[in-house]
Amino acid sequence: MFLVVNGQRQEFPDRITVAELVQAAGLEGRPCAVERNREVVAKADHGTTHLEEGDHLELVTLVGGG
């Protein structure tokens, strides 16, 4: 299936979860916020929220610096 992740159209397996998407993006274990179709997905729901064809997602991480 195709998803739009941070503005880029990408192909993923069917029935992927938010947690699997975060892992595929290399962000597992790092602070990360996920927005699906303009709604924040609670971290507690990442493992049970299945994505659907055409979903638009934003993955946001914290960046330190000064």
Side-chain angles (χ1 to χ4, degrees), residues 9-48:
R9 187 173 185 257
Q10 300 178 26
E11 188 171 7
F12 292 92
D14 290 343
R15 299 286 295 165
I16 189 172
T17 65
V18 170
E20 292 166 332
L21 175 69
V22 169
Q23 181 179 20
L27 299 173
E28 186 177 35
R30 295 177 53 194
C32 178
V34 179
E35 182 182 274
R36 176 187 183 205
N37 301 325
R38 298 185 177 217
E39 292 186 21
V40 174
V41 179
K43 186 170 178 108
D45 296 332
H46 285 191
T48 58

Side-chain angles (χ1 to χ4, degrees), residues 43-61:
K43 186 170 178 108
D45 296 332
H46 285 191
T48 58
T49 301
H50 288 86
L51 302 174
E52 298 178 10
E53 179 79 31
D55 279 348
H56 285 249
L57 298 119
E58 293 291 327
L59 304 179
V60 181
T61 60

